[in-house]
Amino acid sequence: IRRLHNLAQNVFRQSGTRIMIYESALSDLVVSGELDFFNYRLFLSPEQRICCLEHILTVLETTDAPIRLVDGGFSSDFQYITNPCLILSDSVCYVRLENKRYCDNILTLNDKSVKMMFERFYEKIWDERQDVVIGTRSEVLARIRHYKTSAALIAKME
């Protein structure tokens, strides 16, 4: 875990990474303990949920990487997809498919025109959809702290 943390910190510091998080992923984590870790479904105990949220906060508080929180949905096309995911980088672009299976549902797209289409879509959401995207760093961190407090309350009840 320390190695992953150090890797994440270095990536955020050196690469110009921007982070967009679905708020529903955080609420699912708090309520059910479900976490998507590189396309594998994990279920965390209440104590592990608190630890995970603390770690997310630490990473976000100690980096200057821009962050956005998607509150609700930005497209009805993704409304019923339980775990939408898109990764864009210089070397790879992939999208998660909705194929009724949780694992092995990632499609790698290295076609330049497809990648450009996703980049334009991402930029539009990032810059122009203030109706569904929270872009104030302090508000994003406050929401994550709220989820951590909620996870602690659930842990006390169990």
Side-chain angles (χ1 to χ4, degrees):
I1 292 176
R2 282 192 186 109
R3 287 186 201 155
L4 281 175
H5 174 75
N6 290 336
L7 174 66
Q9 287 297 88
N10 288 331
V11 167
F12 292 145
R13 280 191 202 109
Q14 298 173 9
S15 69
T17 298
R18 295 181 295 170
I19 305 165
M20 187 179 294
I21 305 169
Y22 262 87
E23 190 167 32
S24 61
L26 296 173
S27 62
D28 288 348
L29 172 62
V30 170
V31 174
S32 70
E34 183 177 338
L35 180 66
D36 182 337
F37 186 75
F38 292 101
N39 207 33
Y40 288 92
R41 185 180 295 170
L42 304 173
F43 290 94
L44 304 180
S45 70
E47 293 77 19
Q48 290 171 322
R49 296 173 206 175
I50 296 166
C51 184
C52 182
L53 289 164
E54 285 174 350
H55 182 72
I56 291 170
L57 273 169
T58 299
V59 169
L60 295 178
E61 289 172 340
T62 58
T63 183
D64 293 331
I67 56 176
R68 301 277 194 273
L69 190 64
V70 178
D71 184 19
F74 51 78
S75 170
S76 60
D77 294 335
F78 296 108
Q79 181 175 347
Y80 300 107
I81 295 176
T82 55
N83 55 354
C85 185
L86 172 67
I87 299 293
L88 295 172
S89 75
D90 292 339
S91 58
V92 70
C93 170
Y94 77 74
V95 65
R96 178 170 292 139
L97 303 172
E98 186 68 20
N99 63 359
K100 309 274 187 254
R101 293 178 15 192
Y102 197 89
C103 295
D104 302 324
N105 63 347
I106 289 182
L107 176 63
T108 303
L109 304 165
N110 286 330
D111 182 78
K112 191 173 187 171
S113 61
V114 172
K115 186 175 178 206
M116 288 173 52
M117 176 187 69
F118 279 123
E119 286 174 352
R120 284 193 310 269
F121 175 74
Y122 184 86
E123 293 300 329
K124 188 157 187 80
I125 300 300
W126 186 270
D127 292 328
E128 299 176 20
R129 291 298 308 270
Q130 286 79 29
D131 57 323
V132 294
V133 177
I134 299 167
T136 307
R137 181 179 205 78
S138 60
E139 188 173 348
V140 171
L141 294 174
R143 294 258 184 130
I144 296 171
R145 284 185 199 101
H146 170 75
Y147 280 119
K148 181 183 152 199
T149 302
S150 299
L153 290 171
I154 290 172
K156 285 182 182 178
M157 291 172 39
E158 290 190 5

